[in-house]
């Protein structure tokens, strides 16, 4: 029976010893907040080794000449990914002893705790023991814990691509286990919007904006994304139409394909918007130093489409759905931008200098008998981005001679638009001469001026002179 008990004890001892010597890898998972915000990462106290029996440092003959505990990288200068050539330099990670068996060992005479340092292919001391045993060289059994850090500056200077970065470490105290272990930095896969305009307001306040031939360009503001994986920039419109509400409250739509999306640099290709997602990336947006990608998306409308579809006064609205999607399609993050184009009511009437004077000469009997009509070609150039009516009026109800009022009534002059049956008698009260005008840019009108035979005959016997009156044109929106 004693033989059996001894045999079982031997087996248990052997198994326990094998468990202690098994490698214990150190996994340090770095939160994406630290990576993307570039803020220092500090781990909780992390067990790196265990000490089951030793209570003091190793010393040479007569207790002098302590052997300092060290770490040595046996896999080189860098943390590496097993499946790729991606690396992180050893300098990104620094560490310091936190406790041995729950407290720091004594430093006594000339002992010290080194500051934070990084792994190296050369042996790096993680504690400096006192000069001899008599100066408090003892320490506790138990877990040997370290604190690990990645300084903020390292997040700005390096490329932290998603994956596990490993370095093989050896330590020199056989009583501490394990003798060899891996330190593994774990970078999670993530994409995050850092900055993006959630709204874009565009105001059109001049008709001159419609007179050019250049494509209209509006930037959507700086877009910045933080990423640990390569991604593409996808976008679509929430609907296949632009919603329109006129300045008078009338609803309508415009085709969303009249608007294109691109960027002011090479990041995005230019494509017409649609209600289905499209990849706008010129190439994959890769992980770069500092883990940020930034560009400025832009909207484009051709000059013709701008005049044809976005001229009428009112509000044009649509929503952009943006999606940063990893190249393996495993991660995507959405962001929306509401776009509003506000076209302010604007109208213009201009009369060229060659058309400012209209002359009626009564110098023959036939002119008094038959009356006169004059058509002034292209006398009025009008623009109005609302539905409108055109009115005409005079500043007085009577013609003047030499600045003095006469008894010739202004209503002997009838005014209308060539091609229209409307002919309004001129008076101080505005008279409508164009009905239901639709929004128009730089429309030229031929104006018809008439003095009928009856009104012409009323001028017989008037003093030979020049009689004048001012004529004014105006809009009323409808």
């Amino acid at each position: 029976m004693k033989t059996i008990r001894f045999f079982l004890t031997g087996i248990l001892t052997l198994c326990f010893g094998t468990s202690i010597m098994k490698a214990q890898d150190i996994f340090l998972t770095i939160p994406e907040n630290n990576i993307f915000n570039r803020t220092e990462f500090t781990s909780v106290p992390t067990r790196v080794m265990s000490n089951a029996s030793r209570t003091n440092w190793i010393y040479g003959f007569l207790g002098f000449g302590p052997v300092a505990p060290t770490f040595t990288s046996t896999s080189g200068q860098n943390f590496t990914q097993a499946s790729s050539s991606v690396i992180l330099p050893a300098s990104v990670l620094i560490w310091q002893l936190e406790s041995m068996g729950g407290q720091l060992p004594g430093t006594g005479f000339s002992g010290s705790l080194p500051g934070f340092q990084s792994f190296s292919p050369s042996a790096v001391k993680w504690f400096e023991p006192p000069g001899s045993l008599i100066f408090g060289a003892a320490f506790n059994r138990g877990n040997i814990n370290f604190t690990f850090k990645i300084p903020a500056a390292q997040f700005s200077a390096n490329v932290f691509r998603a994956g596990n970065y490993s370095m093989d470490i050896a330590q020199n105290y056989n009583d501490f286990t394990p003798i060899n272990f891996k330190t593994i930095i774990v970078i999670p896969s993530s994409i995050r919007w850092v900055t993006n305009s959630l709204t874009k307001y565009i105001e059109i306040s001049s008709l001159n904006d419609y007179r050019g031939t250049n494509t209209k360009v509006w930037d959507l503001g700086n877009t910045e994304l933080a990423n640990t994986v390569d991604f593409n920039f996808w976008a679509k419109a929430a609907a296949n139409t632009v919603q329109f509400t006129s300045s008078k409250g009338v609803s309508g739509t415009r085709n969303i394909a009249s608007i294109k999306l691109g960027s002011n640099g090479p990041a995005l290709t230019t494509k017409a918007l649609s209600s289905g997602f499209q990849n706008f990336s010129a190439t994959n947006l890769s992980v770069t130093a500092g883990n940020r990608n930034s560009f400025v998306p832009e909207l484009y409308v051709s000059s013709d489409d701008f005049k044809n579809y976005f001229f009428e006064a009112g509000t044009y609205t649509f929503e952009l759905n943006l999606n940063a999607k990893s190249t393996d399609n495993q991660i995507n993050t959405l962001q929306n931008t509401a776009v509003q184009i506000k076209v302010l009511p604007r109208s213009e009437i201009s009369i060229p200098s060659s058309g400012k004077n209209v002359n009626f000469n009564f110098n023959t009997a036939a002119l008094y008998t038959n009356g006169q009509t004059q058509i002034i070609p292209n006398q009025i150039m009008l623009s109005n981005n609302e539905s409108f009516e055109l009115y005409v009026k005079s500043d007085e109800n009577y013609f003047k001679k030499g600045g003095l009022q006469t008894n010739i009534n202004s209503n002997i002059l009838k005014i209308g638009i060539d091609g229209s049956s409307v002919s309004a008698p001129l008076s101080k009260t505005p008279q409508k001469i164009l009905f239901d005008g639709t929004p128009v840019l730089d429309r030229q009108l031929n104006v018809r001026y008439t003095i009928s035979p009856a009104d012409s005959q009323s001028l017989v016997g008037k003093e030979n002179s020049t009689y004048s009156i001012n004529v004014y044109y105006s809009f009323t929106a409808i």
Side-chain angles (χ1 to χ4, degrees), residues 348-365:
E348 293 177 2
I349 296 177
S350 63
I351 298 176
S353 57
S354 60
K356 289 187 179 296
N357 295 317
V358 181
N359 297 313
F360 285 85
N361 293 313
F362 289 89
N363 52 17
T364 68

Side-chain angles (χ1 to χ4, degrees), residues 1-259:
M1 194 69 176
K2 290 181 180 179
T3 301
I4 293 173
R5 183 179 297 111
F6 176 79
F7 181 71
L8 292 174
T9 302
I11 292 175
L12 291 172
T13 301
L14 178 61
C15 292
F16 180 73
T18 301
S19 176
I20 289 294
M21 294 302 293
K22 185 177 180 180
Q24 171 185 303
D25 294 339
I26 311 302
F27 284 86
L28 300 170
T29 300
I30 313 304
E32 63 182 66
N33 280 342
N34 294 92
I35 301 171
F36 293 159
N37 296 333
R38 301 167 180 170
T39 56
E40 182 174 273
F41 163 78
T42 302
S43 73
V44 297
T46 302
R47 186 184 70 176
V48 173
M49 298 172 289
S50 295
N51 169 31
S53 58
R54 176 167 285 280
T55 58
N56 53 51
W57 304 109
I58 298 173
Y59 284 83
F61 182 67
L62 297 179
F64 292 97
V67 176
T70 62
F71 287 142
T72 303
S73 169
T74 60
S75 58
Q77 294 278 6
N78 302 308
F79 291 90
T80 60
Q81 284 192 13
S83 59
S84 71
S85 60
V86 179
I87 64 169
L88 283 172
S91 57
V92 301
L93 183 71
I94 56 177
W95 42 262
Q96 184 183 50
L97 176 66
E98 188 271 337
S99 63
M100 299 180 71
Q103 66 181 40
L104 284 171
T107 53
F109 180 74
S110 297
S112 64
L113 174 66
F116 280 90
Q117 51 197 336
S118 57
F119 294 121
S120 169
S122 301
V124 180
K125 298 178 183 179
W126 51 265
F127 191 79
E128 190 68 61
S132 69
L133 285 167
I134 63 175
F135 293 108
F139 48 79
N140 294 340
R141 300 182 182 92
N143 293 333
I144 303 176
N145 294 338
F146 283 75
T147 298
F148 294 88
K149 290 185 177 183
I150 297 181
Q154 295 293 339
F155 290 118
S156 298
N158 291 283
V159 178
F160 287 82
R161 183 180 289 275
N164 290 2
Y165 297 78
S166 176
M167 181 178 284
D168 296 330
I169 306 299
Q171 59 93 8
N172 63 335
Y173 265 65
N174 289 333
D175 294 315
F176 300 158
T177 57
I179 293 294
N180 300 287
F181 58 90
K182 292 180 181 293
T183 299
I184 300 169
I185 300 174
V186 180
I187 305 300
S189 298
S190 184
I191 306 170
R192 179 187 296 176
W193 293 87
V194 179
T195 59
N196 183 64
S197 299
L198 300 180
T199 60
K200 177 62 179 180
Y201 176 76
I202 301 164
E203 185 174 281
I204 311 300
S205 59
S206 173
L207 293 175
N208 286 332
D209 289 340
Y210 297 91
R211 294 186 171 113
T213 58
N214 294 330
T215 295
K216 291 298 174 184
V217 182
W218 302 294
D219 75 71
L220 296 177
N222 185 56
T223 292
E224 187 169 17
L225 293 107
N227 59 304
T228 61
V229 294
D230 296 345
F231 70 95
N232 288 310
F233 184 82
W234 294 70
K236 72 178 185 70
N240 59 13
T241 56
V242 177
Q243 297 302 306
F244 171 64
T245 302
S246 75
S247 56
K248 304 305 177 185
V250 178
S251 298
T253 60
R254 304 290 188 270
N255 190 339
I256 194 65
S258 61
I259 301 174

